[in-house]
Amino acid sequence: MARRFRPLPKASMLLRRSIVRWRELLGQTLLIALVWVLIRSVAVLAFGQDAFITELWFIIVLSVLVWFYGISTRKSVGLRQIFYDGSAGFVKLFLVMCVWVLYLVPFAVGVFFAQHFNLYQFSPSTGEIIAVSVAWLLLAAVSAYWIIRSFMAPILLNKFGPLQAIRASWDLTQGKTGWATRSVLLVGLVAVVPALVLSATLLLPFMGGEWTVFSVNMTISFLMVGYSLPLLVALGYEMEKHGKRTGKSTKTKK
């Protein structure tokens, strides 16, 4: 007799579950975001906006969020324990992020050639513009496909090493690329839009004031770590729960 499984949940359902998880952990999530902003502010003032140390601090905080959202208990966990235990996976997450940078190479190549074409090609024809744009979109689609297939790698680091986690994420999304794409795009859109709106409404009108721009940037950073990233991390855990499921198993019971 064929063994049936529950169908994969819709992207909208995963979004609702991710928001529920975020709301359950809201208080401590905002504390994590506050610590992120305070230390990032010091790092930016001391070393500059684009300093490598600020990027490392971002990965540390992401590893903390991944660890914290993976805890099964809902009991309150101290902030010191969150950062002490949660940052233990920093090196492995850093290596996963390095692989993601490699995944973005096709996109970067498309951007390079598109910019080079627009800057140095004199009066390009409509056909040439369309050809370059299509090539850029195809290269961007390759990078997006690789990122989506490996989207669950950070939350699998508690079970595997970096490369094994990436392979496991690819395995979990095998035959479910459309489902994974819809889920990541929907939750990603909901997660990022508030920060984009805040940037457009606060940052653009005050581009002239250095300290105003700095304050707005830190506010946006707080929103990203307090809302956007946690929502995506929660989605990763929700997708991992259902990654092994298929609509119908082909195995029969003897």
Side-chain angles (χ1 to χ4, degrees):
M1 180 178 179
R3 184 182 175 187
R4 296 178 179 273
F5 292 90
R6 287 181 295 172
L8 293 169
K10 294 182 179 180
S12 57
M13 177 61 71
L14 292 181
L15 172 61
R16 288 195 292 271
R17 292 175 180 174
S18 300
I19 292 176
V20 167
R21 182 62 173 163
W22 172 72
R23 291 177 61 184
E24 289 174 349
L25 304 174
L26 179 59
Q28 288 160 305
T29 299
L30 294 181
L31 287 177
I32 294 172
L34 180 60
V35 173
W36 147 262
V37 168
L38 291 175
I39 296 182
R40 182 173 183 265
S41 299
V42 174
V44 168
L45 292 174
F47 302 103
Q49 181 73 28
D50 299 323
F52 185 59
I53 191 172
T54 60
E55 307 303 327
L56 292 180
W57 174 233
F58 170 80
I59 299 175
I60 290 173
V61 173
L62 179 57
S63 67
V64 167
L65 286 171
V66 170
W67 177 87
F68 180 55
Y69 273 68
I71 298 176
S72 58
T73 178
R74 297 184 182 181
K75 295 181 180 179
S76 178
V77 182
L79 198 61
R80 188 168 78 173
Q81 181 185 353
I82 289 175
F83 275 90
Y84 181 78
D85 292 334
S87 60
F90 159 71
V91 174
K92 292 196 292 185
L93 183 58
F94 175 78
L95 294 176
V96 169
M97 300 289 281
C98 289
V99 174
W100 280 358
V101 170
L102 295 178
Y103 280 173
L104 291 174
V105 168
F107 172 76
V109 169
V111 171
F112 172 79
F113 281 110
Q115 289 181 336
H116 186 84
F117 179 83
N118 290 329
L119 288 175
Y120 299 107
Q121 178 71 10
F122 181 75
S123 300
S125 65
T126 302
E128 289 173 329
I129 294 176
I130 293 175
V132 171
S133 300
V134 170
W136 181 19
L137 289 175
L138 290 176
L139 289 170
V142 171
S143 291
Y145 174 78
W146 289 345
I147 294 292
I148 289 173
R149 289 297 302 274
S150 60
F151 180 78
M152 287 178 277
I155 68 170
L156 295 170
L157 290 174
N158 61 335
K159 303 176 184 177
F160 307 103
L163 294 181
Q164 291 82 1
I166 291 174
R167 293 194 195 102
S169 180
W170 277 73
D171 291 340
L172 289 174
T173 54
Q174 181 67 36
K176 309 174 187 66
T177 305
W179 170 75
T181 301
R182 290 190 298 272
S183 302
V184 173
L185 289 180
L186 177 61
V187 178
L189 185 65
V190 174
V192 173
V193 163
L196 294 178
V197 172
L198 189 63
S199 299
T201 56
L202 295 181
L203 187 57
L204 293 180
F206 302 104
M207 287 299 292
E210 180 179 351
W211 283 105
T212 303
V213 172
F214 174 80
S215 301
V216 173
N217 277 329
M218 292 304 107
T219 302
I220 295 172
S221 295
F222 180 83
L223 177 63
M224 290 294 292
V225 175
Y227 169 73
S228 303
L229 280 179
L231 212 59
L232 292 170
V233 170
L235 171 66
Y237 281 106
E238 290 297 329
M239 289 176 62
E240 194 267 343
K241 293 178 184 177
H242 306 281
K244 295 182 180 180
R245 295 181 181 176
T246 56
K248 181 187 295 186
S249 174
T250 57
K251 295 181 180 181
T252 57
K253 184 177 181 180
K254 296 183 180 179

